[in-house]
Amino acid sequence: MYEYSIDNKNKKSLYDDLYNACEAITHGETDAVANMANVASLLWQYIPQLNWAGFYRIVDGALLLGPFQGKAACIHIPLDKGVCGAAASTGEPQCVEDVNQFAGHIACDAESVSELVAPIKSSNGNVIAVIDLDSPNKARFDEQDIDGIIRIAEMLGPRLSESA
């Protein structure tokens, strides 16, 4: 049984504790889907004001839905579409205050208003997946959220295979 003490009273503690929990639960596990599933669960459970938390994997030149928590989601996303596609194709995190103002936004859930997406890179620098967080609140994510999710994405990269 896994138990984590995660302090969500301030974001620095939240992301330090989340990083440690994600690191611990994925340590030594080589199955990418299992690792993504457990991390999606932790993100969903501990980051407040989310309506979706999960992963999209790069498969055959497009994003394919991976493990997540939340409402049913888009299954396939082209690399040139949406916030997830932008993060995957540029290799840079995307933080969007209002997805309705984002050109090419894909509305998988009409209740999502803001979105944070961080690319996950393999040890050779290729983007193999993205972490996607959605919120029903406008401008939900800030620099501390971006830094915290990037740190988790960087830790996960070597733990996910090229076939993630």
Side-chain angles (χ1 to χ4, degrees):
M1 181 167 152
Y2 297 103
E3 289 187 38
Y4 299 100
S5 175
I6 295 182
D7 177 5
N8 65 1
K9 294 189 182 10
N10 72 67
K11 283 190 183 180
K12 174 154 180 20
S13 295
L14 168 69
Y15 283 107
D16 285 346
D17 291 347
L18 262 177
Y19 176 89
N20 290 333
C22 291
E23 197 282 328
I25 205 163
T26 62
H27 181 77
E29 178 54 59
T30 59
D31 187 90
V33 172
N35 284 334
M36 288 184 281
N38 271 331
V39 171
S41 179
L42 287 170
L43 298 174
W44 176 257
Q45 184 175 0
Y46 292 107
I47 298 176
Q49 303 169 350
L50 296 182
N51 62 335
W52 203 89
F55 293 85
Y56 279 91
R57 306 166 296 129
I58 293 188
V59 177
D60 297 329
L63 290 166
L64 181 63
L65 182 63
F68 69 94
Q69 299 283 314
K71 290 182 180 180
C74 299
I75 296 172
H76 298 275
I77 298 177
L79 292 179
D80 62 346
K81 300 287 184 205
V83 181
C84 289
S89 63
T90 66
E92 297 295 326
Q94 303 291 311
C95 184
V96 179
E97 290 185 359
D98 183 351
V99 294
N100 298 306
Q101 304 303 311
F102 187 87
H105 170 64
I106 300 169
C108 296
D109 179 356
E111 294 178 15
S112 292
V113 178
S114 60
E115 189 167 2
L116 171 58
V117 182
I120 300 173
K121 298 177 182 178
S122 67
S123 56
N124 64 6
N126 292 330
V127 176
I128 57 172
V130 298
I131 297 174
D132 182 16
L133 302 178
D134 293 355
S135 175
N137 302 332
K138 187 175 182 178
R140 158 62 186 87
F141 305 106
D142 62 19
E143 287 298 321
Q144 287 182 302
D145 296 297
I146 296 167
D147 292 345
I149 294 303
I150 289 171
R151 187 172 170 220
I152 291 169
E154 289 173 347
M155 180 270 300
L156 284 174
R159 295 176 185 206
L160 304 181
S161 70
E162 290 289 342
S163 64

